[in-house]
Amino acid sequence: MDECGSRIRRRVSVRKRNRPSLETTFATPTAAELKPSNEEKEEEEKAGSRRRKTVGVQPLENDDSEEDMFGDYDSYSENSFLAQVDDLEQKYVQLPENRKHDTDLATEDLCSESIKHNKINITTVGSFTELKMEEHTKNQSGHEDVSIELGADLLYELPSSQVLYFGNLQNSSNDFGDQSSKERDCDSTSHKTVNEELPNNNVEQPQQIDAFSNGKTSSDVNRRKSLKDHLKSAMTGNAKAQTPMFSRTKQLKESRLSEEINVAKKTIESSSDDLGPFYSLPSKVRDLYVQFKGIEKLYEWQHTCLTLNSVQERKNLIYSLPTSGGKTLVAEILMLQELLCRRKDVLMILPYVAIVQEKISGLSSFGIELGFFVEEYAGSKGKFPPIKRREKKSLYIATIEKGHGLVNSLIETGRISSLGLVVVDELHMIGEGSRGAVLEMTLAKLLYTSKTTQIIGMSATLNNVEDLQEFLQAEYYTSQFRPVELKEYLKINDSICEVDSKAENGMTFSRLLNYKYSDTLKKMDPDHLVALVTEVIPNYSCLVFCPTKKNCENVAEMICTFLSKEYMKHREKEKQEVIKNLKNISSGNLCPVLKRTIPLGVAYHHSGLTSDERKLLEEAYSTGVLCLLTCTSTLAAGVNLPARRVILRAPYVAKAFLKRNQYKQMIGRAGRAGIDSVGESILILQEKDKQQVLDLISRPLENCYSHLVQESTKGIQTLFLSLVGLKIATNLDDIYHFMTGTFFGVQQKILLKEKSLWEITVESLRYLIEKGLLQKDPILTEKGRMQKDTLYESKEEFQYSFHITKLGRASFKGTIDLAYCDILYRDLKKGLEGLVLESLLHLIYLTTPYDMAFQRDPDWMIYFRQKVDKNIVNRLYLSFILYTLLKETNIWNVSEKFNMPRGYVQNLLTAAATFSSCVLHFCEELEEFWVYRALFVELTKKLTYCVKAELIPLMEVTGVLEGRAKQLYNAGYKSLAHLANADPEVLIRTIDHLSRRQAKQIVSSAKMLLHEKAEALQEEVEELLRLPSDFPGIVASSEKA
């Protein structure tokens, strides 16, 4: 004990310094003191700006002794700190009645100010010093300010172990003082202002004591416990405690990040124009963008967009820029603001599964570093409702269909308010068929059920923005900015003309093609494609868009036929690696076309390739190993693969003439930011198409129109079923009112010619009732008569209340197309009569998508002679394909056996996995189908991955497909934990053809998935241990209250 006590005395003696007594501090100032001289003011300002320094404290040894541990310093000596507090209290008791209140408040401020100044996670010394200067200046003008200054001084004199005491005391104290973030770290070497841009006016001034004096409790209550006893008890306990040893560097980083998040919160809440170090985000976010994406500075339009008043006020926003303009970065910053500053979940809706997976890979690293989850909702992946997290927030990245299911589940569970922001990429897709109808339903429900959820929509091809603005109640921002200049050209015969809107016919002559063609080449290449591509490859990249998939392959082969052998020497070794990896992921198989074209740096890209093949070719193209891709129009709307030159083989997509929106998306791929100084697009046309092409390049973008009614079973009828199922609207009036707020409701004058919106609403409800999905409950009105079999078209005379049936709920929860829900029910019901479980074939048949049965016609004449339903035959044929695929797990073998493109076989597998998940949710809502639940869980997993069981854990990681999973497994990485703890540099050396970026993304995705699973288990444990809310004792006490 003596040794411990001496250590304490040594520590305290270093920190001991002269200071005024409490009595003199609390004395009433004289008139002379209220007017300090200029010299005194200058001295006080210098003293206020001088940074205080403290000496590091050695950790204390544990000692159970109850004797006084403060030696001769802070015990009961005449000049000790506690003695001064004791004297103050004695004096307080003797004060006149009119002085009691002020002194009591001063003592209370002493505690509250000490508490507030002792938050160890924040380091804003610069701002703190400025506040201290103001307090010193105001010290002479009022008694209240003296108490605030005293509180700060006392804090510096207390032991560092008082942090714990004041932290606990703060939880039970009323916050009477300044709420601004002007705390400091005790290390003198780390005194840095985190956000130096914050002006002084952003600091809230301490509140005047008079403002809360009326709410003060009686001073008699405060005298019951001595402040001295509080402090002595806490100091004794803390002195005995072991002081933990922390990494100083780590502590400083954490405190800096925490402070910047708090500063950002206050900035947003106060609606101030003052932003944080990186658009209200911690500076770490800026560093991560430099580290992960190489982005060091934002474009001017991005800064303008992020600082718009509508964005600051969290209004809905639509913004439109050309392709490659950097739209996604703005959305990402807004999403990070919502996740980190406002602590809300975020949903990002993307059009395709491949883009969802690309975005998951790109943002998982940010989630790991900044402490939020990134969850995938695509294909058969995603939980409904999503897991409710304890602390960390979630970024849901979803396809259009999965995003709709996610929003439905949040509304159903009453958690829609937890969704702070919804970002929609490619907003123009709201006008594209059934997928557009689903997107419209999602947004309409968000607008109707949550007033706090912000919606951000972005697109490169929007025209009738006014309709979308009215629907989304949104502001609009647009710019024509492109990071790289784009030059548009048209090629007619040997002439190349530049598109010029100022010219009379919309174009001006640019040059003639100068390329020597042999007679053979002229016959094979009448459009001079070889001449156009050889002007840029192999040093620059080129994309050639073709009308059909077959044309892609033919053009790639034709170009390679006439390319010089010199092209084979360009990055020859790396191209051989690509071929080797294509064989590895395809079990030794290789497309003969790719085998001939890849050595020359050329490949084709369309949906006929497997996902593994497309991913490998995209990576090879991005790194410059491949310099030319021949592709279909789907590439323009898919992953980002820019090029120096983009060539449109013909103004057609399949047999349909090119639309302006499609044209803009294709040519938008020209020009790579940071690599090319200019981008070029060349549209090849024939004389017969010249006028149509001139109209194409000059006319505005096509308008997008609602497909909610046009796609009835996937649109308006599905919408009404979900409205009743979610209890958003359950009667005719409410449903009609909801419809007026949809995109279709905004455009009803344009879209409705023969029927009114009311008539369409009534007809759709009647259809749902006839299908047995809804039931109606008539409500007698003042004018009406009770008739149960008629739906009146006059809303004044009759009203109905609707409720959803079991079949309706199963269809709605399973997101089953209403055209097939009754067929599915009959198939499942019949399956129960004789379910064959000897193999998976029967279950596979039940989960084969109905809509894909129309896409292939098997040559089975024998079945037609027996008058078997064609749709059943087709569906059974597809079931055989899936069954064979699950047995062999080799797409190449199966595609050859059934004479079908391997890309189609893989699309069938993906669709079957998704539909199997839907059927599972369908069966969960119907008790009679209990037997299917466990069976479909396993089948869905098999269809999702279609690999050997040992590879499934690896394939759960986003971006890891079968070929890569096999490589990882063979290298010893056999579980999710192995990948999460892997070193990216070791992975690069171990796994063939794995780039550094891919390795980091795999590790980040694995860590994110592991954290999600750990968090889910913690949630489950806490839920099990938590006292139930309906526990009898709690219910009884709440009823009494």
Side-chain angles (χ1 to χ4, degrees), residues 909-969:
L909 181 65
T910 303
T914 303
F915 188 62
S916 177
S917 175
C918 294
V919 175
L920 172 61
H921 292 305
F922 182 91
C923 292
E924 285 174 343
E925 298 299 321
L926 296 169
E927 187 62 32
E928 60 197 292
F929 294 145
W930 62 270
V931 70
Y932 287 122
R933 295 173 194 169
L935 297 172
F936 284 147
V937 167
E938 289 303 312
L939 181 62
T940 301
K941 187 179 290 187
K942 288 180 180 291
L943 289 169
T944 299
Y945 300 110
C946 192
V947 293
K948 293 180 180 178
E950 62 264 22
L951 297 181
I952 290 178
L954 299 178
M955 291 188 66
E956 289 180 356
V957 178
T958 302
V960 176
L961 300 175
E962 183 182 358
R964 186 71 75 202
K966 286 179 180 177
Q967 288 180 308
L968 291 167
Y969 188 86

Side-chain angles (χ1 to χ4, degrees), residues 433-448:
S434 60
R435 303 196 78 208
V438 173
L439 180 58
E440 180 180 346
M441 288 189 283
T442 306
L443 296 174
K445 288 174 187 174
L446 282 167
L447 290 165
Y448 195 85

Side-chain angles (χ1 to χ4, degrees), residues 853 856-858 864 868-875:
R856 291 285 162 178
D857 286 325
F864 292 120
V868 177
D869 188 336
K870 181 181 176 182
N871 292 332
I872 295 176
V873 172
N874 288 5
R875 195 158 174 246

Side-chain angles (χ1 to χ4, degrees), residues 847-864:
T847 56
T848 301
Y850 290 95
D851 54 355
M852 294 196 75
F854 303 105
Q855 299 178 15
R856 291 285 162 178
D857 286 325
D859 188 14
W860 289 357
M861 294 306 297
I862 185 172
Y863 283 93
F864 292 120

Side-chain angles (χ1 to χ4, degrees), residues 40-106:
E40 289 174 342
K41 286 185 178 180
E42 291 175 1
E43 289 176 2
E44 285 178 358
E45 289 176 7
K46 290 178 182 177
S49 62
R50 192 178 301 118
R51 297 180 176 180
R52 303 179 184 272
K53 299 183 180 179
T54 59
V55 177
V57 181
Q58 296 296 326
L60 296 176
E61 298 174 5
N62 290 327
D63 195 323
D64 296 333
S65 174
E66 291 298 328
E67 64 180 293
D68 186 4
M69 301 178 67
F70 297 94
D72 298 328
Y73 185 77
D74 272 334
S75 183
Y76 294 104
S77 62
E78 185 177 0
N79 295 323
S80 73
F81 167 71
L82 294 174
Q84 292 178 35
V85 173
D86 190 39
D87 291 342
L88 172 62
E89 289 185 321
Q90 295 298 325
K91 183 175 180 180
Y92 165 83
V93 174
Q94 299 170 7
L95 285 174
E97 188 63 26
N98 60 348
R99 295 277 307 278
K100 283 184 180 179
H101 187 61
D102 289 343
T103 312
D104 186 47
L105 285 173

